[in-house]
Amino acid sequence: MPSLSLNGESSFAKSQQQEAVLSRQFLTFMLGEEMFAMPIDDIREIIEFCSLTEVPLMPNFLRGVINLRGAVVPVIDLSVRFGRAPTPVAKRTCIVIMEVTQEEQTMLLGVMVDAVRAVLTVENDKVEPPLTFGARLRADFVEGMINIKDRFIVVLDVGAVLSVDELSSLMGMAAIEELNTPSGS
């Protein structure tokens, strides 16, 4: 029988709260042959890939926008954001809808991935610090590494990867670049 503390909270409830703080959940997904993870805290939903509306004067990592129940949601090709080839659309291609908050501004962003794998619950001490060399990503995009059965999964820092400020400035630069490109090229 659970014991009751003086403040009315059972020790069982306390141990559950402590356990929740000691672990985190991550969504794992594929980009090409590599597996990545991101914390589920900011994930709103995962949808099947649907048709996108392309937007002119946008950088190549912004594949387009979708209509999600009346909201216009920009969709970022995570592979292109990482400086790789565009994600080919296949049967398992998904859009992960993220709720990103920066500087008290919340917006929905879609992230295009090759395939969603699973949700992992990982103890905080099992998330290892990122490598300081040899990563094929910008260092600020990596929050850490998870070792699962001798295979490492890169944990993304969603705030850096989907930085609203950086994405906005890149979109502005793409528009200026497009306007300065001669129409014959």
Side-chain angles (χ1 to χ4, degrees):
M1 177 177 228
S3 64
L4 196 58
S5 68
L6 293 177
N7 65 4
E9 192 174 343
S10 72
S11 60
F12 177 72
K14 270 188 181 175
S15 68
Q16 279 189 317
Q17 288 171 346
Q18 288 172 341
E19 186 177 308
V21 173
L22 298 176
S23 65
R24 293 170 59 197
Q25 289 189 309
F26 298 92
L27 175 72
T28 59
F29 59 91
M30 301 299 293
L31 284 179
E33 298 298 314
E34 291 181 84
M35 190 177 299
F36 293 90
M38 66 175 90
I40 65 165
D41 306 337
D42 301 319
I43 297 174
R44 189 182 224 189
E45 63 187 289
I46 300 166
I47 61 173
E48 208 173 328
F49 184 83
C50 53
S51 63
L52 297 170
T53 302
E54 288 187 28
V55 180
L57 306 177
M58 290 293 122
N60 56 355
F61 66 80
L62 184 71
R63 290 285 287 259
V65 296
I66 59 170
N67 178 348
L68 184 67
R69 294 181 289 285
V72 176
V73 178
V75 176
I76 294 168
D77 187 333
L78 209 49
S79 184
V80 175
R81 177 78 170 121
F82 294 162
R84 301 172 183 183
T87 300
V89 178
K91 279 195 308 192
R92 298 193 58 192
T93 305
C94 300
I95 298 174
V96 180
I97 304 297
M98 310 283 298
E99 200 168 86
V100 180
T101 304
Q102 288 183 341
E103 296 179 20
E104 298 178 25
Q105 176 188 3
T106 300
M107 68 181 291
L108 293 178
L109 286 174
V111 176
M112 187 175 167
V113 300
D114 288 324
V116 169
R117 288 291 188 193
V119 174
L120 298 177
T121 301
V122 179
E123 295 172 16
N124 287 341
D125 62 347
K126 300 292 184 205
V127 178
E128 299 175 24
L131 296 175
T132 57
F133 61 92
R136 295 176 13 171
L137 290 177
R138 281 180 23 190
D140 62 325
F141 284 0
V142 180
E143 178 183 316
M145 309 286 286
I146 301 171
N147 185 352
I148 305 283
K149 297 179 185 170
D150 294 329
R151 182 176 179 187
F152 282 97
I153 301 170
V154 175
V155 177
L156 298 176
D157 181 337
V158 175
V161 173
L162 301 178
S163 165
V164 174
D165 292 338
E166 183 178 351
L167 294 176
S168 295
S169 69
L170 289 172
M171 288 177 194
M173 287 189 314
I176 290 168
E177 208 171 275
E178 184 74 24
L179 292 172
N180 291 333
T181 303
S183 58
S185 51

